[in-house]
Amino acid sequence: MSTKAKNLEELFEDGLKDIYWAEKKLVKSLPEMEEKATNEKLKKSLKDHLKETEKQVERLEEVFKSIDKKPTAKKCEAMAGLIEEGEEIIEETESGDVRDAGIIMACQKVEHYEIASYGTLAAFAKVLGYKKAVKLLLETLEEEKNADEHLSEIADTALNTEAIS
Protein backbone atom coordinates (compact mmCIF):
# COMPACT_ATOMS: atom_id res chain seq x y z
CA MET A 1 0.00 0.00 0.00
CA SER A 2 1.36 3.38 -0.94
CA THR A 3 -0.70 5.04 1.78
CA LYS A 4 -1.66 3.31 4.97
CA ALA A 5 -5.29 2.26 5.41
CA LYS A 6 -6.78 4.25 8.26
CA ASN A 7 -10.03 2.34 8.55
CA LEU A 8 -11.92 -0.74 7.38
CA GLU A 9 -13.35 1.05 4.35
CA GLU A 10 -9.86 1.86 3.05
CA LEU A 11 -8.70 -1.69 3.78
CA PHE A 12 -11.75 -3.01 1.89
CA GLU A 13 -11.03 -0.79 -1.12
CA ASP A 14 -7.38 -1.86 -1.09
CA GLY A 15 -8.46 -5.51 -1.03
CA LEU A 16 -10.80 -4.91 -3.97
CA LYS A 17 -7.98 -3.34 -6.00
CA ASP A 18 -5.79 -6.32 -5.16
CA ILE A 19 -8.27 -9.03 -6.20
CA TYR A 20 -9.25 -7.00 -9.29
CA TRP A 21 -5.63 -7.11 -10.45
CA ALA A 22 -5.45 -10.81 -9.56
CA GLU A 23 -8.52 -11.75 -11.60
CA LYS A 24 -7.37 -9.72 -14.60
CA LYS A 25 -3.99 -11.45 -14.45
CA LEU A 26 -5.69 -14.85 -14.30
CA VAL A 27 -7.63 -14.03 -17.46
CA LYS A 28 -4.24 -13.77 -19.17
CA SER A 29 -2.71 -16.84 -17.48
CA LEU A 30 -5.47 -19.46 -17.73
CA PRO A 31 -5.20 -19.94 -21.52
CA GLU A 32 -1.52 -20.95 -21.19
CA MET A 33 -2.38 -23.48 -18.49
CA GLU A 34 -5.15 -24.87 -20.67
CA GLU A 35 -2.76 -25.15 -23.61
CA LYS A 36 -0.17 -27.03 -21.52
CA ALA A 37 -2.69 -29.42 -19.92
CA THR A 38 -3.29 -32.79 -21.58
CA ASN A 39 -6.20 -34.20 -19.55
CA GLU A 40 -9.42 -33.33 -21.39
CA LYS A 41 -11.45 -32.78 -18.21
CA LEU A 42 -8.76 -30.44 -16.90
CA LYS A 43 -8.58 -28.55 -20.22
CA LYS A 44 -12.37 -28.10 -20.19
CA SER A 45 -12.33 -27.01 -16.56
CA LEU A 46 -9.66 -24.38 -17.27
CA LYS A 47 -11.54 -23.13 -20.33
CA ASP A 48 -14.81 -22.91 -18.36
CA HIS A 49 -13.09 -21.17 -15.46
CA LEU A 50 -11.62 -18.60 -17.86
CA LYS A 51 -15.16 -17.61 -18.91
CA GLU A 52 -16.19 -17.51 -15.26
CA THR A 53 -13.15 -15.39 -14.34
CA GLU A 54 -14.00 -12.90 -17.09
CA LYS A 55 -17.46 -12.56 -15.50
CA GLN A 56 -15.84 -12.17 -12.08
CA VAL A 57 -13.79 -9.24 -13.39
CA GLU A 58 -17.04 -7.62 -14.56
CA ARG A 59 -18.66 -8.40 -11.21
CA LEU A 60 -15.78 -6.70 -9.39
CA GLU A 61 -16.33 -3.66 -11.59
CA GLU A 62 -19.95 -3.71 -10.38
CA VAL A 63 -18.71 -3.88 -6.78
CA PHE A 64 -16.55 -0.79 -7.33
CA LYS A 65 -19.50 0.99 -8.95
CA SER A 66 -21.80 0.00 -6.08
CA ILE A 67 -19.53 1.83 -3.61
CA ASP A 68 -19.05 4.83 -5.93
CA LYS A 69 -15.42 4.01 -6.76
CA LYS A 70 -13.66 3.71 -10.10
CA PRO A 71 -12.42 0.16 -10.80
CA THR A 72 -8.69 0.30 -10.12
CA ALA A 73 -6.18 -2.53 -10.07
CA LYS A 74 -3.20 -2.69 -7.73
CA LYS A 75 -0.60 -5.38 -8.26
CA CYS A 76 -1.36 -8.36 -6.08
CA GLU A 77 2.02 -9.74 -5.04
CA ALA A 78 0.44 -12.95 -3.72
CA MET A 79 -1.27 -13.75 -7.02
CA ALA A 80 1.81 -12.76 -9.00
CA GLY A 81 3.79 -15.27 -6.93
CA LEU A 82 1.19 -18.02 -7.31
CA ILE A 83 1.08 -17.54 -11.09
CA GLU A 84 4.87 -17.53 -11.29
CA GLU A 85 4.94 -20.77 -9.28
CA GLY A 86 2.41 -22.29 -11.71
CA GLU A 87 4.58 -21.29 -14.66
CA GLU A 88 7.60 -22.92 -12.99
CA ILE A 89 5.64 -26.12 -12.44
CA ILE A 90 4.75 -26.21 -16.14
CA GLU A 91 8.40 -25.62 -17.14
CA GLU A 92 9.77 -28.22 -14.71
CA THR A 93 7.42 -31.13 -15.56
CA GLU A 94 7.07 -33.45 -18.51
CA SER A 95 3.93 -33.07 -20.56
CA GLY A 96 1.22 -35.47 -19.41
CA ASP A 97 -0.23 -36.67 -16.12
CA VAL A 98 2.54 -35.25 -13.91
CA ARG A 99 2.22 -31.77 -15.44
CA ASP A 100 -1.57 -31.99 -15.20
CA ALA A 101 -1.28 -32.86 -11.50
CA GLY A 102 1.05 -29.87 -11.08
CA ILE A 103 -1.36 -27.57 -12.91
CA ILE A 104 -4.17 -28.70 -10.60
CA MET A 105 -1.94 -28.05 -7.57
CA ALA A 106 -1.12 -24.55 -8.82
CA CYS A 107 -4.75 -23.79 -9.66
CA GLN A 108 -5.95 -24.96 -6.26
CA LYS A 109 -3.46 -22.67 -4.53
CA VAL A 110 -4.95 -19.82 -6.56
CA GLU A 111 -8.50 -20.89 -5.69
CA HIS A 112 -7.70 -21.02 -1.99
CA TYR A 113 -6.21 -17.53 -2.14
CA GLU A 114 -9.33 -16.29 -3.93
CA ILE A 115 -11.64 -18.04 -1.44
CA ALA A 116 -9.84 -16.34 1.45
CA SER A 117 -9.93 -12.97 -0.33
CA TYR A 118 -13.59 -13.05 -1.32
CA GLY A 119 -14.68 -14.36 2.07
CA THR A 120 -12.86 -11.56 3.86
CA LEU A 121 -14.03 -8.87 1.43
CA ALA A 122 -17.64 -10.03 1.79
CA ALA A 123 -17.32 -9.87 5.58
CA PHE A 124 -15.87 -6.35 5.35
CA ALA A 125 -18.63 -5.27 2.94
CA LYS A 126 -21.27 -6.62 5.33
CA VAL A 127 -19.89 -4.63 8.27
CA LEU A 128 -19.62 -1.53 6.06
CA GLY A 129 -23.26 -1.88 4.98
CA TYR A 130 -22.51 -2.46 1.29
CA LYS A 131 -25.39 -4.86 0.62
CA LYS A 132 -24.97 -5.08 -3.16
CA ALA A 133 -21.23 -5.62 -2.79
CA VAL A 134 -21.85 -8.43 -0.28
CA LYS A 135 -24.20 -10.18 -2.71
CA LEU A 136 -21.75 -9.87 -5.63
CA LEU A 137 -18.73 -10.97 -3.59
CA LEU A 138 -20.56 -13.99 -2.16
CA GLU A 139 -21.61 -15.02 -5.67
CA THR A 140 -17.97 -15.08 -6.73
CA LEU A 141 -16.95 -16.83 -3.50
CA GLU A 142 -19.33 -19.70 -4.33
CA GLU A 143 -17.91 -19.97 -7.86
CA GLU A 144 -14.37 -20.17 -6.47
CA LYS A 145 -15.36 -22.89 -3.99
CA ASN A 146 -17.02 -24.85 -6.81
CA ALA A 147 -13.94 -24.48 -9.02
CA ASP A 148 -11.75 -25.82 -6.20
CA GLU A 149 -14.07 -28.81 -5.66
CA HIS A 150 -14.13 -29.53 -9.39
CA LEU A 151 -10.32 -29.54 -9.54
CA SER A 152 -10.23 -31.99 -6.62
CA GLU A 153 -12.68 -34.27 -8.46
CA ILE A 154 -10.50 -34.25 -11.59
CA ALA A 155 -7.39 -35.08 -9.55
CA ASP A 156 -9.15 -37.79 -7.54
CA THR A 157 -10.76 -39.54 -10.54
CA ALA A 158 -7.44 -41.14 -11.52
CA LEU A 159 -5.16 -38.34 -12.62
CA ASN A 160 -3.04 -38.40 -9.45
CA THR A 161 -2.77 -42.21 -9.60
CA GLU A 162 -1.72 -42.06 -13.25
CA ALA A 163 0.90 -39.44 -12.40
CA ILE A 164 2.70 -41.92 -10.09
CA SER A 165 4.30 -43.85 -12.94
Side-chain angles (χ1 to χ4, degrees):
M1 282 189 277
S2 54
T3 58
K4 294 182 180 181
K6 297 175 199 70
N7 56 46
L8 190 64
E9 187 167 358
E10 289 179 5
L11 187 60
F12 174 68
E13 289 172 22
D14 191 63
L16 281 178
K17 292 174 185 178
D18 204 62
I19 199 70
Y20 185 57
W21 184 94
E23 295 290 18
K24 289 176 81 164
K25 181 71 172 172
L26 272 177
V27 167
K28 294 176 184 168
S29 300
L30 282 169
E32 182 186 343
M33 287 186 203
E34 179 194 347
E35 181 186 318
K36 299 292 183 178
T38 58
N39 179 283
E40 286 308 313
K41 287 180 181 176
L42 177 57
K43 288 175 92 59
K44 183 179 181 334
S45 180
L46 293 168
K47 187 175 192 155
D48 292 347
H49 197 58
L50 172 60
K51 290 176 190 164
E52 197 169 63
T53 303
E54 289 167 342
K55 289 177 187 163
Q56 291 168 351
V57 168
E58 292 171 11
R59 196 175 297 132
L60 280 168
E61 291 167 353
E62 279 186 65
V63 171
F64 277 106
K65 194 174 169 184
S66 77
I67 62 166
D68 295 323
K69 298 290 176 183
K70 182 179 179 250
T72 308
K74 184 192 89 178
K75 185 175 182 183
C76 175
E77 296 297 340
M79 186 62 78
L82 290 170
I83 289 171
E84 185 178 321
E85 184 178 331
E87 290 168 352
E88 287 174 10
I89 288 169
I90 289 170
E91 288 173 22
E92 296 170 0
T93 53
E94 294 289 327
S95 180
D97 297 329
V98 174
R99 181 177 290 160
D100 289 347
I103 289 171
I104 289 173
M105 177 176 68
C107 288
Q108 286 193 293
K109 287 180 181 184
V110 166
E111 293 306 328
H112 287 233
Y113 176 78
E114 290 176 315
I115 289 165
S117 297
Y118 283 108
T120 301
L121 289 171
F124 287 176
K126 184 177 180 183
V127 169
L128 292 165
Y130 296 142
K131 290 180 180 165
K132 184 172 183 180
V134 171
K135 179 185 169 293
L136 294 166
L137 293 166
L138 289 177
E139 188 176 341
T140 299
L141 176 61
E142 283 308 305
E143 290 173 352
E144 301 298 8
K145 287 178 181 178
N146 291 337
D148 180 54
E149 284 178 31
H150 187 65
L151 288 166
S152 289
E153 288 169 13
I154 293 169
D156 290 345
T157 53
L159 194 138
N160 286 345
T161 305
E162 291 167 13
I164 291 172
S165 48

Tab-separated table of all heavy atoms in Angstrom, residues 2 15 31 36-37 49 56 60 71 73-74 98 101 114 116 119 122 130 133-134 140 153:
chain	number	residue	atom	x	y	z
A	2	SER	N	0.596	2.135	-0.905
A	2	SER	CA	1.364	3.375	-0.944
A	2	SER	C	0.990	4.275	0.229
A	2	SER	O	1.833	4.939	0.799
A	2	SER	CB	1.155	4.089	-2.282
A	2	SER	OG	-0.225	4.278	-2.525
A	15	GLY	N	-8.259	-4.094	-0.716
A	15	GLY	CA	-8.462	-5.510	-1.025
A	15	GLY	C	-9.161	-5.717	-2.359
A	15	GLY	O	-8.839	-6.642	-3.104
A	31	PRO	N	-5.343	-19.303	-20.209
A	31	PRO	CA	-5.199	-19.941	-21.524
A	31	PRO	C	-3.889	-20.720	-21.692
A	31	PRO	O	-3.874	-21.778	-22.312
A	31	PRO	CB	-5.275	-18.761	-22.499
A	31	PRO	CG	-6.084	-17.734	-21.777
A	31	PRO	CD	-5.663	-17.881	-20.333
A	36	LYS	N	-1.195	-26.088	-21.991
A	36	LYS	CA	-0.170	-27.026	-21.519
A	36	LYS	C	-0.762	-28.281	-20.876
A	36	LYS	O	-0.062	-29.275	-20.698
A	36	LYS	CB	0.756	-26.335	-20.514
A	36	LYS	CG	1.512	-25.151	-21.091
A	36	LYS	CD	2.532	-25.582	-22.109
A	36	LYS	CE	3.310	-24.375	-22.609
A	36	LYS	NZ	4.349	-24.726	-23.553
A	37	ALA	N	-2.041	-28.243	-20.515
A	37	ALA	CA	-2.692	-29.418	-19.921
A	37	ALA	C	-2.970	-30.456	-21.005
A	37	ALA	O	-3.179	-30.106	-22.170
A	37	ALA	CB	-3.989	-28.997	-19.238
A	49	HIS	N	-13.423	-22.106	-16.530
A	49	HIS	CA	-13.087	-21.167	-15.458
A	49	HIS	C	-12.600	-19.831	-16.027
A	49	HIS	O	-12.783	-18.793	-15.390
A	49	HIS	CB	-12.075	-21.752	-14.482
A	49	HIS	CG	-12.028	-20.998	-13.197
A	49	HIS	ND1	-13.135	-20.821	-12.386
A	49	HIS	CD2	-11.024	-20.329	-12.585
A	49	HIS	CE1	-12.811	-20.082	-11.348
A	49	HIS	NE2	-11.530	-19.774	-11.444
A	56	GLN	N	-16.213	-12.639	-13.419
A	56	GLN	CA	-15.836	-12.171	-12.084
A	56	GLN	C	-15.175	-10.798	-12.146
A	56	GLN	O	-15.380	-9.969	-11.262
A	56	GLN	CB	-14.928	-13.198	-11.402
A	56	GLN	CG	-15.672	-14.475	-11.051
A	56	GLN	CD	-14.771	-15.608	-10.633
A	56	GLN	OE1	-13.547	-15.541	-10.736
A	56	GLN	NE2	-15.378	-16.683	-10.156
A	60	LEU	N	-16.572	-7.591	-10.241
A	60	LEU	CA	-15.775	-6.699	-9.387
A	60	LEU	C	-15.956	-5.241	-9.814
A	60	LEU	O	-16.006	-4.352	-8.965
A	60	LEU	CB	-14.296	-7.089	-9.432
A	60	LEU	CG	-13.908	-8.264	-8.552
A	60	LEU	CD1	-12.515	-8.754	-8.878
A	60	LEU	CD2	-14.030	-7.905	-7.079
A	71	PRO	N	-13.173	1.415	-10.848
A	71	PRO	CA	-12.415	0.161	-10.802
A	71	PRO	C	-10.921	0.434	-11.031
A	71	PRO	O	-10.539	1.024	-12.046
A	71	PRO	CB	-12.994	-0.664	-11.952
A	71	PRO	CG	-14.341	-0.086	-12.189
A	71	PRO	CD	-14.217	1.378	-11.863
A	73	ALA	N	-6.963	-1.349	-10.417
A	73	ALA	CA	-6.184	-2.532	-10.069
A	73	ALA	C	-4.879	-2.108	-9.401
A	73	ALA	O	-4.274	-1.105	-9.786
A	73	ALA	CB	-5.884	-3.346	-11.320
A	74	LYS	N	-4.491	-2.883	-8.386
A	74	LYS	CA	-3.204	-2.686	-7.731
A	74	LYS	C	-2.523	-4.039	-7.714
A	74	LYS	O	-3.135	-5.039	-7.325
A	74	LYS	CB	-3.423	-2.180	-6.301
A	74	LYS	CG	-2.118	-1.850	-5.583
A	74	LYS	CD	-2.356	-1.653	-4.107
A	74	LYS	CE	-2.213	-3.008	-3.483
A	74	LYS	NZ	-2.349	-3.133	-2.093
A	98	VAL	N	1.804	-35.933	-14.980
A	98	VAL	CA	2.538	-35.247	-13.911
A	98	VAL	C	2.333	-33.737	-14.028
A	98	VAL	O	2.048	-33.064	-13.039
A	98	VAL	CB	4.041	-35.613	-13.934
A	98	VAL	CG1	4.817	-34.781	-12.917
A	98	VAL	CG2	4.219	-37.100	-13.650
A	101	ALA	N	-1.161	-32.864	-12.957
A	101	ALA	CA	-1.284	-32.856	-11.497
A	101	ALA	C	-0.686	-31.561	-10.930
A	101	ALA	O	-1.241	-30.958	-10.003
A	101	ALA	CB	-0.599	-34.080	-10.895
A	114	GLU	N	-8.119	-17.031	-3.543
A	114	GLU	CA	-9.327	-16.290	-3.927
A	114	GLU	C	-10.455	-16.523	-2.918
A	114	GLU	O	-11.175	-15.584	-2.567
A	114	GLU	CB	-9.786	-16.709	-5.326
A	114	GLU	CG	-8.860	-16.236	-6.411
A	114	GLU	CD	-9.264	-16.740	-7.781
A	114	GLU	OE1	-9.593	-17.944	-7.920
A	114	GLU	OE2	-9.260	-15.936	-8.719
A	116	ALA	N	-10.164	-17.149	0.264
A	116	ALA	CA	-9.843	-16.341	1.450
A	116	ALA	C	-10.118	-14.862	1.179
A	116	ALA	O	-10.698	-14.166	2.023
A	116	ALA	CB	-8.379	-16.542	1.843
A	119	GLY	N	-14.014	-14.193	0.778
A	119	GLY	CA	-14.680	-14.365	2.072
A	119	GLY	C	-14.446	-13.162	2.978
A	119	GLY	O	-15.378	-12.637	3.599
A	122	ALA	N	-16.194	-9.982	1.539
A	122	ALA	CA	-17.645	-10.028	1.785
A	122	ALA	C	-17.948	-9.683	3.242
A	122	ALA	O	-18.908	-8.957	3.524
A	122	ALA	CB	-18.203	-11.406	1.429
A	130	TYR	N	-22.468	-2.421	2.754
A	130	TYR	CA	-22.512	-2.457	1.286
A	130	TYR	C	-23.253	-3.716	0.827
A	130	TYR	O	-22.652	-4.715	0.443
A	130	TYR	CB	-21.106	-2.445	0.690
A	130	TYR	CG	-20.295	-1.203	0.957
A	130	TYR	CD1	-18.930	-1.294	1.201
A	130	TYR	CD2	-20.875	0.063	0.933
A	130	TYR	CE1	-18.156	-0.160	1.420
A	130	TYR	CE2	-20.109	1.200	1.150
A	130	TYR	CZ	-18.757	1.081	1.396
A	130	TYR	OH	-17.995	2.198	1.607
A	133	ALA	N	-22.582	-5.074	-2.726
A	133	ALA	CA	-21.226	-5.618	-2.787
A	133	ALA	C	-21.163	-6.992	-2.120
A	133	ALA	O	-20.529	-7.911	-2.641
A	133	ALA	CB	-20.236	-4.656	-2.138
A	134	VAL	N	-21.826	-7.140	-0.977
A	134	VAL	CA	-21.853	-8.433	-0.277
A	134	VAL	C	-22.412	-9.505	-1.207
A	134	VAL	O	-21.810	-10.574	-1.376
A	134	VAL	CB	-22.694	-8.363	1.022
A	134	VAL	CG1	-22.886	-9.756	1.617
A	134	VAL	CG2	-22.056	-7.440	2.043
A	140	THR	N	-19.282	-14.663	-6.249
A	140	THR	CA	-17.966	-15.077	-6.733
A	140	THR	C	-17.334	-16.087	-5.781
A	140	THR	O	-16.710	-17.055	-6.227
A	140	THR	CB	-17.049	-13.852	-6.914
A	140	THR	OG1	-17.651	-12.985	-7.883
A	140	THR	CG2	-15.672	-14.254	-7.399
A	153	GLU	N	-12.031	-33.119	-7.799
A	153	GLU	CA	-12.677	-34.271	-8.456
A	153	GLU	C	-11.844	-34.762	-9.631
A	153	GLU	O	-11.677	-35.973	-9.808
A	153	GLU	CB	-14.078	-33.889	-8.939
A	153	GLU	CG	-15.086	-33.722	-7.837
A	153	GLU	CD	-16.395	-33.086	-8.316
A	153	GLU	OE1	-16.621	-33.004	-9.540
A	153	GLU	OE2	-17.171	-32.655	-7.447
